[in-house]
Amino acid sequence: EVIGVKLTFNNSLYYSIFCVYLPPNRLFTLNSLASSLLGKCILIGDFNAHNKIWGSSFTDKRGKSLEKFMLINNLVCINNKQGTRVCNNGTLSILDLALISTELASISNLSVLSDALGSDHLPIFVEFNNLSVPALSNICSKPRTNFKKIQWADFSNNLNESFMQHNFNSSDLQT
């Protein structure tokens, strides 16, 4: 299960951001996602995989597959070996990961928040320092209104109806 956003500025792809959930005991299926990993990539989510690379005490089959996926797609795990899931016995495991393009690794920082917000997973927060994105003024034009296309009669009727619904009296209005 993947939800993604691709950010493009001036017809150039800058970032692909994906939220991933891989249910336990299901086949590892991120290979179909590889074709969508364009630009600088950020994958965050519950991968349900164990690997010593990100601080697990052991490496399982899914963890090994995820490690291979990372190598093929030039991704690194920026987890700092902090637990992200509270197990039934109160211990922590590391299942929620942040995988990012290698060129973003030096400017990224991951922290695990302490409040689980009612879940058995602790939220992870990824921060990027000195991230290069175009200035908004370069990509967003000021909103414009074409006054020639406004339907003034409809606008006037809607405005009158709104005033009627609120029972305004002329004494309520200040001049």
Side-chain angles (χ1 to χ4, degrees):
E1 298 174 31
V2 178
I3 297 173
V5 176
K6 291 182 182 181
L7 302 176
T8 56
F9 305 104
N10 297 327
N11 296 322
S12 296
L13 181 65
Y14 273 76
Y15 301 98
S16 297
I17 305 168
F18 298 95
C19 181
V20 178
Y21 173 65
L22 295 178
N25 304 321
R26 281 225 198 130
L27 185 63
F28 180 78
T29 57
L30 280 182
N31 291 334
S32 59
L33 177 64
S35 62
S36 298
L37 298 179
L38 304 171
K40 296 172 184 164
C41 298
I42 304 163
L43 287 82
I44 299 177
D46 180 358
F47 289 84
N48 280 301
H50 297 276
N51 195 307
K52 290 182 178 183
I53 290 173
W54 47 83
S56 294
S57 58
F58 65 97
T59 298
D60 64 5
K61 186 177 179 181
R62 181 179 284 193
K64 194 68 179 160
S65 295
L66 188 55
E67 179 182 349
K68 184 178 178 182
F69 176 82
M70 290 166 47
L71 286 170
I72 291 169
N73 294 287
N74 296 315
L75 300 170
V76 294
C77 180
I78 61 167
N79 285 61
N80 51 16
K81 302 185 190 253
Q82 282 186 276
T84 62
R85 181 183 176 268
V86 182
C87 302
N88 292 335
N89 64 4
T91 61
L92 294 173
S93 63
I94 305 168
L95 299 178
D96 304 289
L97 307 173
L99 311 178
I100 62 171
S101 296
T102 53
E103 61 264 36
L104 294 174
S106 64
I107 61 167
S108 65
N109 183 42
L110 180 135
S111 55
V112 179
L113 306 182
S114 58
D115 186 352
L117 306 170
S119 173
D120 59 341
H121 290 261
L122 299 170
I124 60 175
F125 181 75
V126 178
E127 184 175 16
F128 295 94
N129 301 308
N130 302 316
L131 192 61
S132 175
V133 294
L136 286 179
S137 60
N138 294 340
I139 59 174
C140 297
S141 61
K142 293 180 181 177
R144 295 183 215 168
T145 304
N146 186 343
F147 290 99
K148 293 178 183 176
K149 291 188 176 183
I150 295 176
Q151 309 226 338
W152 290 108
D154 290 342
F155 174 77
S156 178
N157 289 337
N158 288 336
L159 194 59
N160 284 332
E161 286 176 20
S162 289
F163 278 116
M164 297 287 204
Q165 289 175 357
H166 293 14
N167 295 320
F168 285 114
N169 296 321
S170 59
S171 61
D172 294 332
L173 301 175
Q174 295 180 347
T175 56

